[in-house]
Amino acid sequence: MSDTLNLAKELISRQSVTPEDAECQSIMARRLEALGFSIDHLRFGEVDNLWARRGSEGPLFVFAGHTDVVPTGPESDWRHPPFSPTEENGLLYGRGATDMKGSLAAMITATERFIAQHPKHQGSIGYLITSDEEGLAIEGTVKVIEWLQARNEAIDWCLVGEPTSSDKVADVIKNGRRGSLGATLTVRGTQGHVAYPHLAKNPVHLVAPVLAELVAMQWDNGNDSFPPTTFQISNIQAGTGATNVIPGDLTVLFNFRFSTEITDAELRSQVETILQEHPLDYHIDWQLSGQPFLTPKGELVDATQAAIKTICGYETELSTSGGTSDGRFIAPTGAQVLELGPLNATIHKVDEHVAIDELDTLSEIYQQILNNLLT
């Protein structure tokens, strides 16, 4: 049994449902402290965060990730208890196996082997770990970044261990992410009897043309790194549940995943222009979850692609698809940010699992990235 598998199982056995850490960071900190890392346990609100650093000189390479996991749903639906890591047919089952305790284990064992071979490596190695990635994400990485900036500590290269792979480990790495802009639109009408519509005002009817216009809108054409911006309605609520009552108001939730071809301010302006062209009594609340970011080809991309070629023997695809990650808080500091982790096919699902041999491969890739950048 490999060190990476052992550590992954130890972490998975901790019931760290967001925002709980359940001592996962302490397990990691003990191993890092034995390697000469200075350790800072940072608690903001109800969230535990870990900052660890070895070395004081630049450049600073950072492994970033999270110890919290999403809820399991009914445990009776799982083949094996979700917090009892189980090996079966070459797979490791358990909540967090891919998202992202397997990656965390691979980071630690890669660092241990690298330091054993290069105790006087160039630059510094850091770890930025939070228990607030799967939740509200307001007391985690974003707060640690603020803390680092107050200490004038700047990250040069950051590798986030999110599960990025599609068909085989490391076949896809994320060198950027789209921005995420959400909104809650409330349209006020007048409740009444469906038989007397002239005495009421139906907000569903009033907003329908607006939603049709928003759905049909071409926001941008994307670019070489990003697909076109998308608009999706995620929830509509109205009415009392009775078929003979016209609703008094309506709430619509929608979200933009946007490219670097448009700004969140431009999206807000275009939406509100459309709203104002219709006879609506409305209120809208906007929630910006993150700006788009892109790490172009350069030191980190080159080192990572070369590492994958060395360990796996194949080329990897650069992609900006998928959801958001904590990379959105790190990239604005000027750091080069990439995401690389296991296959993402079972993340957040019942029976989440990872191929055991891919954990060892991932650890070897991480070690080779350190070799490429810090020796």
Side-chain angles (χ1 to χ4, degrees):
M1 188 180 297
S2 73
D3 287 342
T4 304
L5 175 59
N6 276 333
L7 180 53
K9 293 175 72 172
E10 186 177 5
L11 294 172
I12 292 168
S13 68
R14 300 287 178 158
Q15 298 189 35
S16 57
V17 176
T18 190
E20 295 297 324
D21 168 66
E23 299 298 319
C24 290
Q25 292 172 23
S26 294
I27 293 170
M28 298 177 65
R30 285 193 292 271
R31 295 181 71 142
L32 292 172
E33 195 168 22
L35 299 174
F37 281 76
S38 61
I39 304 294
D40 288 287
H41 291 283
L42 307 170
R43 187 169 176 84
F44 300 112
E46 299 300 314
V47 173
D48 289 306
N49 302 284
L50 171 67
W51 172 251
R53 178 167 179 163
R54 186 181 197 270
S56 58
E57 303 297 322
L60 171 58
F61 174 91
V62 170
F63 284 116
H66 60 91
T67 53
D68 59 324
V69 298
V70 295
T72 64
E75 294 194 12
S76 59
D77 292 346
W78 286 65
R79 291 168 58 87
H80 310 285
F83 295 107
S84 297
T86 304
E87 299 173 57
E88 183 180 87
N89 298 325
L91 302 175
L92 174 63
Y93 286 83
R95 176 57 89 217
T98 55
D99 192 13
M100 55 176 290
K101 292 179 177 180
S103 297
L104 297 179
M107 291 172 180
I108 293 289
T109 55
T111 303
E112 288 172 337
R113 294 193 307 273
F114 173 75
I115 291 175
Q117 295 177 12
H118 305 284
K120 297 183 179 180
H121 59 79
Q122 300 172 15
S124 300
I125 305 172
Y127 274 74
L128 196 171
I129 310 297
T130 184
S131 66
D132 187 37
E133 197 274 345
E134 299 288 10
L136 297 176
I138 58 175
E139 303 284 3
T141 299
V142 63
K143 287 294 183 74
V144 179
I145 289 296
E146 292 173 358
W147 181 82
L148 289 172
Q149 289 177 321
R151 290 158 51 106
N152 293 318
E153 289 193 69
I155 298 171
D156 296 287
W157 305 308
C158 181
L159 192 149
V160 185
E162 290 292 344
T164 60
S165 304
S166 180
D167 298 315
K168 53 188 177 182
V169 67
D171 61 351
V172 177
I173 57 178
K174 306 289 187 182
N175 66 321
R177 293 282 191 169
R178 294 173 294 174
S180 177
L181 176 65
T184 302
L185 171 65
T186 302
V187 178
R188 292 176 284 268
T190 303
Q191 184 173 303
H193 197 294
V194 296
Y196 303 93
H198 60 287
L199 299 178
K201 185 185 294 184
N202 193 326
V204 179
H205 294 185
L206 293 173
V207 82
V210 175
L211 298 183
E213 190 171 344
L214 292 173
V215 169
M217 188 85 168
Q218 179 74 29
W219 304 95
D220 61 45
N221 296 313
N223 54 38
D224 290 342
S225 299
F226 289 92
T229 293
T230 61
F231 169 87
Q232 286 292 314
I233 297 168
S234 53
N235 193 278
I236 299 178
Q237 292 183 320
T240 64
T243 62
N244 60 350
V245 179
I246 293 172
D249 53 39
L250 170 143
T251 301
V252 183
L253 305 182
F254 60 82
N255 181 270
F256 288 99
R257 293 303 166 101
F258 62 102
S259 76
T260 51
E261 292 296 303
I262 196 167
T263 67
D264 65 289
E266 290 170 330
L267 289 171
R268 297 176 202 229
S269 175
Q270 290 183 41
V271 169
E272 300 214 24
T273 296
I274 293 171
L275 289 169
Q276 290 163 13
E277 291 173 348
H278 293 263
L280 298 179
D281 179 7
Y282 75 91
H283 176 78
I284 189 165
D285 288 315
W286 294 97
Q287 305 92 37
L288 178 65
S289 298
Q291 297 285 2
F293 70 89
L294 180 71
T295 296
K297 280 188 169 291
E299 297 161 323
L300 183 58
V301 170
D302 292 347
T304 303
Q305 289 183 314
I308 294 167
K309 183 70 172 179
T310 298
I311 301 300
C312 301
Y314 47 75
E315 305 293 337
T316 190
E317 175 189 347
L318 295 176
S319 172
T320 61
S321 64
T324 60
S325 78
D326 275 4
R328 70 189 189 272
F329 303 125
I330 302 168
T333 68
Q336 297 176 39
V337 179
L338 285 185
E339 301 172 29
L340 169 60
L343 270 65
N344 56 26
T346 65
I347 58 175
H348 293 201
K349 291 185 178 180
V350 168
D351 294 331
E352 180 180 350
H353 59 267
V354 65
I356 293 170
D357 61 351
E358 290 190 348
L359 288 179
D360 289 320
T361 301
L362 189 61
S363 181
E364 292 174 11
I365 294 170
Y366 288 163
Q367 181 184 356
Q368 188 61 45
I369 293 170
L370 290 171
N371 285 336
N372 292 347
L373 290 172
L374 298 181
T375 60

